[in-house]
Amino acid sequence: MEYFIVTLVAVMLVVLVWASFSADAVGRVLPVLMAAFVARLLIHLLLTRSDALGYGGDHLTFEERAAEIVALWELEGVQFVTSEQIPFLFSVALPCNLFAFIMWLCGGEAPFACTAVVAFIASALCIIVYKAAILIGADARAAFRLLVITAFLPSFLLHTSDMYKDGINAFLVLACMYLTLSILHRFAFCKMFLIGLVFLALWHVRLYMVFMCAVPVMFGFLTLNRKFPFARVMVVFAFGVTALLACGGVNEILSGTPLQEQLDFAHARQALDSNSSGGSGVSFDDGGNPWGAIVPKLLYALLSPFLWMDGSLELQLGKIEVAFWYYLLCCAAIGARKLWNVNRIILLLLLLLIVPGFIAYATTMANVGLILRQRMPLVMVTSLISAVAWTRNSGKQDTSKHSSGLKIGYGVSVVLLVG
């Protein structure tokens, strides 16, 4: 049954590509995504499951939690299990239920089939990245280059080659941003409904990302009418909230909310000490204040691992990843200048996720390996701006079949249902 699911998922990937692109584009896109799909399965078999790298244990933890859900289903029937039934599912209920469902279909452990589904979601994310790049002004050639880079980005490749949640989280964040960009081009209530579904899914994958994505989504709604007078007010408000967070001015407002609970946990000294204890750990003289030493923390959150750093094997391999990131950052700086001259609203919308996101991660900075995983969605959103820098003909038409946001939104909903 496990191999049948893997085969079925591979067929679904072919169908998804054919449904999203023209015949000419399929000839270029399908080999890339199929190669990336197979690469993830090989990494799963040769590296992650064999523990050749000795990296991480999240995938094993999620597998154990999924097995407990399957055991609960045998007693109470198949249902979506939340933290109310199993407390340790808080903020990770969706991936664990997804893996549990696959294990339930296979009648036992099914890491290979689960990895195939995660790899399929990663491929769907690459398609969304392509579509989003087209929406913000990139041409088909630049969008395809971005699709290739995204598909084989080292950290993304590794963390979608087993039962990790990072690829699912990145998919949902990019889907949210794509739908918001699509609404700016053509409003449709179904897109708003899909954004609601994405938020609901994010709540059960990485809760704080709901709040991080909410600001650019709100900004997108406010700028549907380009002459709307509160658009600039929204920008000031969003960055004002970031400043208040830095000063601790909204602690009382957030007190008792899930977001504050997440912040308290991330800023807890015990959590920071635990994260910094590994071979990729770093520490800062911040006096116990998460906003202390914010400049060096921000530099680490944005640019680490640095080439001169010593540490674990994973940290050294992370330097390959950061070479891609430096290239994307340089291109993003050029693309931002172009975008500022052409469409400032889109640039500001993307920055409303990127800038507060890196600042928030800087306050919890304690481990280089961890930040490589956490910043993955922010890297991908930044790379959308990079694609603008690679564009030669901004007016060149997309070679995909479904250029409308409604059709790709339907594809997003299908993947969400699978997940």
Side-chain angles (χ1 to χ4, degrees), residues 125-147 150 174 178 181 185 339 346 350 380-381 383-388 390-391 394 396 398:
L125 182 151
C126 294
I127 295 175
I128 290 175
V129 165
Y130 180 101
K131 299 290 184 176
I134 294 293
L135 280 180
I136 69 172
D139 60 19
R141 182 191 60 84
F144 177 71
R145 182 197 294 189
L146 181 59
L147 181 145
T150 303
L174 269 293
Y178 169 78
L181 291 168
H185 284 257
L339 208 51
I346 288 180
L350 298 175
M380 292 177 179
V381 174
S383 70
L384 296 177
I385 306 176
S386 303
V388 177
W390 304 330
T391 297
S394 59
K396 187 176 180 179
D398 183 12

Side-chain angles (χ1 to χ4, degrees), residues 10-154:
V11 172
M12 289 175 58
L13 175 57
V14 174
V15 172
L16 181 63
V17 172
W18 274 100
S20 303
F21 297 92
S22 66
D24 292 340
V26 167
R28 293 183 295 121
V29 173
L30 184 57
V32 172
L33 294 185
M34 190 56 69
F37 180 83
V38 173
R40 284 166 168 81
L41 297 182
L42 291 176
I43 291 173
H44 167 79
L45 294 174
L46 301 177
L47 296 180
T48 59
R49 283 291 152 165
S50 65
D51 200 27
L53 291 176
Y55 173 73
D58 284 4
H59 57 294
L60 300 178
T61 302
F62 291 143
E63 187 174 14
E64 292 175 1
R65 294 178 178 180
E68 294 191 29
I69 293 175
V70 173
L72 181 65
W73 286 352
E74 292 176 353
L75 297 174
E76 302 180 5
V78 177
Q79 57 186 295
F80 187 81
V81 180
T82 66
S83 57
E84 294 182 359
Q85 296 152 290
I86 303 180
F88 54 67
L89 289 180
F90 178 72
S91 189
V92 292
L94 179 60
C96 290
N97 277 270
L98 170 62
F99 299 145
F101 183 69
I102 299 168
M103 293 167 64
W104 178 76
L105 288 176
C106 294
E109 295 183 357
F112 194 53
C114 291
T115 300
V117 172
V118 172
F120 172 78
I121 294 173
S123 300
L125 182 151
C126 294
I127 295 175
I128 290 175
V129 165
Y130 180 101
K131 299 290 184 176
I134 294 293
L135 280 180
I136 69 172
D139 60 19
R141 182 191 60 84
F144 177 71
R145 182 197 294 189
L146 181 59
L147 181 145
V148 174
I149 292 176
T150 303
F152 294 100
L153 200 63

Side-chain angles (χ1 to χ4, degrees), residues 181-225:
L181 291 168
S182 181
I183 285 176
L184 292 180
H185 284 257
R186 184 180 301 174
F187 179 82
F189 284 105
C190 66
K191 298 175 188 177
M192 297 179 63
F193 174 73
L194 287 172
I195 289 176
L197 286 181
V198 170
F199 278 162
L200 180 61
L202 267 177
W203 188 270
H204 294 290
V205 176
R206 192 162 278 170
L207 184 149
Y208 63 83
M209 291 305 303
V210 174
F211 300 93
M212 291 175 63
C213 291
V215 174
V217 169
M218 292 170 58
F219 176 73
F221 288 155
L222 286 177
T223 55
L224 287 175
N225 182 347

Side-chain angles (χ1 to χ4, degrees), residues 153 303 305 307 317-329 375:
L153 200 63
L303 301 175
L307 297 179
L317 293 175
K319 294 177 182 179
I320 302 174
E321 161 85 10
V322 85
F324 284 91
W325 175 223
Y326 289 170
Y327 168 68
L328 291 173
L329 266 180
R375 75 187 183 198

